[in-house]
């Protein structure tokens, strides 16, 4: 039997419980597809991310709830797209959720999503889906500007040093600049990442202006590039607690000057990749 994977935040419990109920109804039907909730991958003794990534890579499709935007789910949606999986997005319209944040981020509304109010409706939507064709992905490195950077809305000293070190390493780059583009379209992210030999996704600390929308965008992009096995630099200040999915993939810095060594190491990985 073919299996698929459903990603969703553990909170609020009302939404998580509705999704689990819909999955149970779906799996109890005569569907030839079995849906697995993310909790089934919580296996004691091994990192929780390993089975999640394996399930995504082997799934027929990936479903994700975006009622409330979640950094782990953002990475998993990107990881699914990078693995050439159809990613189906759902939103519970009984909750206000993160509508405003979704509008700021872009990405998810440009991918499209369906709405539901209860487990019966969600089950019917899931069972009615027949199109699982993924977003087409074609890799062709842009050798003139092989690096892609997700820029924050405010250029901090740390980000200034990051860009300076990329330039000093003689890597030309393209970037998403929120002061110019405002919202990140999912297909633009896919296109730029597919042209890249390196992707840089800096994460911002809590309390930084624009932190939530930037980190969601950055982790979505990092999910795509990680799945495509493109060298990906996810870096953040030491006081930021990264989401579970990327905790073992990030580079931390205590002082902005630490970024110099981090970029130097990353530059070597780009050289090897190209």
């Amino acid at each position: 039997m073919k299996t698929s994977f459903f990603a969703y935040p553990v909170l609020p419990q009302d939404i998580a419980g509705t999704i689990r109920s819909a999955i149970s109804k779906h799996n109890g039907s005569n569907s030839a597809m079995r849906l697995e909730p993310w909790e089934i991958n919580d296996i004691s003794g091994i990192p929780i991310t390993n089975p999640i990534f394996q399930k995504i890579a082997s799934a027929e499709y990936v479903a994700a709830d975006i009622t409330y935007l979640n950094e782990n789910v953002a990475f998993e949606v990107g990881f699914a797209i990078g693995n050439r999986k159809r990613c189906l997005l759902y939103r519970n319209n009984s909750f206000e959720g993160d509508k405003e944040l979704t509008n700021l981020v872009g990405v998810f509304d440009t991918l499209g999503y369906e709405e539901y109010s209860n487990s019966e409706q969600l089950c019917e939507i899931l069972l009615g889906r027949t199109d699982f064709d993924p977003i087409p992905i074609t890799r062709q490195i842009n050798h003139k500007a092989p690096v892609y950077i997700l820029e924050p809305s405010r250029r901090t000293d740390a980000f200034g040093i990051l860009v300076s070190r990329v330039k000093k390493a003689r890597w030309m780059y393209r970037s998403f600049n929120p002061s110019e583009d405002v919202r990140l379209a999912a297909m633009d992210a896919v296109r730029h990442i597919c042209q890249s030999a390196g992707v840089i996704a800096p994460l911002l600390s809590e309390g930084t202006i624009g932190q939530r929308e930037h980190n969601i965008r950055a982790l979505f992009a990092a999910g795509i590039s990680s799945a495509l096995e493109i060298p990906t630099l996810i870096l953040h200040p030491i006081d930021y607690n990264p989401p579970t999915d990327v905790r073992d993939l990030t580079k931390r810095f205590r002082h902005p000057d630490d970024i110099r060594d981090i970029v130097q190491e990353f530059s070597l990985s780009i050289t090897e990749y190209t």
Side-chain angles (χ1 to χ4, degrees):
M1 176 179 287
K2 295 180 179 178
T3 60
S4 294
F5 180 78
F6 207 127
Y8 53 92
V10 68
L11 297 174
Q13 280 289 346
D14 282 351
I15 293 178
T18 295
I19 293 171
R20 286 192 291 268
S21 180
I23 290 172
S24 179
K25 290 180 174 70
H26 175 280
N27 292 343
S29 70
N30 292 322
S31 174
M33 185 81 64
R34 176 176 175 79
L35 266 175
E36 290 191 358
W38 72 267
E39 291 102 326
I40 201 170
N41 300 283
D42 187 4
I43 302 171
S44 178
I46 64 173
I48 188 172
T49 54
N50 289 355
I52 288 177
F53 295 157
Q54 290 168 8
K55 289 294 184 182
I56 290 174
S58 62
E60 184 73 10
Y61 70 87
V62 172
D65 188 277
I66 59 164
T67 310
Y68 290 91
L69 296 186
N70 173 281
E71 292 181 343
N72 280 315
V73 172
F75 185 86
E76 289 162 12
V77 170
F79 193 79
I81 291 172
N83 268 284
R84 296 171 172 82
K85 305 296 179 181
R86 182 61 178 268
C87 198
L88 307 176
L89 305 181
Y90 301 99
R91 185 183 182 283
N92 190 319
N93 57 20
S94 297
F95 293 79
E96 181 64 23
D98 282 330
K99 282 185 177 179
E100 184 176 347
L101 180 60
T102 302
N103 289 334
L104 288 171
V105 171
V107 176
F108 303 102
D109 55 350
T110 61
L111 285 172
Y113 59 84
E114 295 184 80
E115 295 191 337
Y116 68 94
S117 298
N118 52 56
S119 60
E120 290 287 350
Q121 287 184 0
L122 180 55
C123 180
E124 288 178 9
I125 294 170
L126 290 166
L127 289 172
R129 169 66 67 168
T130 57
D131 178 13
F132 302 117
D133 292 337
I135 293 173
I137 289 180
T138 303
R139 293 278 289 120
Q140 186 172 2
I141 296 176
N142 181 338
H143 290 284
K144 292 183 179 180
V147 175
Y148 182 55
I149 302 176
L150 280 297
E151 295 191 27
S153 59
R154 306 291 176 100
R155 288 203 164 210
T156 61
D157 286 349
F159 185 76
I161 291 174
L162 170 63
V163 171
S164 174
R165 297 308 296 182
V166 170
K167 290 178 178 178
K168 189 167 184 179
R170 299 185 183 278
W171 294 113
M172 298 298 290
Y173 70 91
R174 294 159 287 110
S175 69
F176 169 78
N177 185 336
S179 64
E180 296 176 359
D181 300 315
V182 184
R183 302 165 74 256
L184 177 62
M187 291 308 300
D188 283 348
V190 171
R191 176 172 55 83
H192 277 293
I193 291 166
C194 285
Q195 294 176 21
S196 301
V199 172
I200 300 177
L203 301 179
L204 303 177
S205 296
E206 295 285 344
T208 307
I209 292 174
Q211 184 255 359
R212 285 198 69 197
E213 57 263 35
H214 170 76
N215 284 6
I216 292 289
R217 291 189 198 111
L219 287 165
F220 168 76
I224 297 173
S225 57
S226 296
L228 292 171
E229 298 184 344
I230 297 169
T232 302
L233 175 58
I234 309 171
L235 76 164
H236 60 85
I238 198 167
D239 64 351
Y240 171 73
N241 186 27
T244 307
D245 282 356
V246 300
R247 196 159 295 161
D248 295 332
L249 306 177
T250 66
K251 296 290 185 179
R252 303 183 298 167
F253 62 90
R254 186 179 300 276
H255 188 277
D257 289 344
D258 299 338
I259 295 172
R260 293 183 171 91
D261 292 336
I262 294 173
V263 174
Q264 177 62 29
E265 180 183 349
F266 181 63
S267 178
L268 294 174
S269 68
I270 297 175
T271 301
E272 293 174 0
Y273 186 82
T274 54

